[in-house]
Structures are given as C-alpha cells and as structure tokens.
Amino acid sequence: FTAVATTNTGPAGGGGAPPASQTDTATPITGICGRRADFNCDGKINSIDFSILLYFWKTKPPFANKYVDLNNDGKIDSTDFSILLYNWGKNK
C-alpha cells in the first residue's frame, strides 16, 4: 500500500470520466522524517502520532504541520487516520 496524491491537470467541469487528454500526476507522501505518519520523528508510529493527527482533525489548511495531511487532499480526515493505522507500530 502506498498513499499517493493525484493532481488533476485538466479543466474543471462536470462529473464522469476525465477526457483522454487529461493526465494525473502521482506523488508519494512521506513525512518530515522520511517516514509517513511519524509526525514527531521518534522513529515509531504510535499514540503520540495519533494525538498529533487528532490535534489537526477537521481543521482547514494551511496546516502548521503539512505532513499530517497524509494523502495531500487538503483535509485531515478518516483517510489520513486510515493511513496512520496502516503504518501503526512500524519502526525505522
């Protein structure tokens, strides 16, 4: 599993599939420490990182810590929480 942010470079408009000429650019999201979801750079993804995520929960950008928006969609929500849980307990 790798979280990526996509940037839609085509014109804004209605729903449906994007035109064939439209391209998406995927960018992996990594934290300030080079490890996704390790917000305090202690080499562990644990309750401290969860606490930091909760501090920013449902706030509006720009975020004081831009790395808490794990999927880079401009929101701190359940998707970011899911990514944090996926990485939970992983150490450097």
Side-chain angles (χ1 to χ4, degrees), residues 10-55:
S21 62
Q22 213 168 327
T23 59
D24 287 338
T25 307
T27 306
I29 306 300
T30 57
I32 191 169
C33 306
R35 183 162 187 82
R36 188 179 326 127
D38 184 11
F39 305 130
N40 66 331
C41 299
D42 67 352
K44 299 175 259 184
I45 290 111
N46 57 22
S47 60
I48 297 169
D49 302 296
F50 176 58
S51 176
I52 293 167
L53 182 82
L54 285 180
Y55 178 80

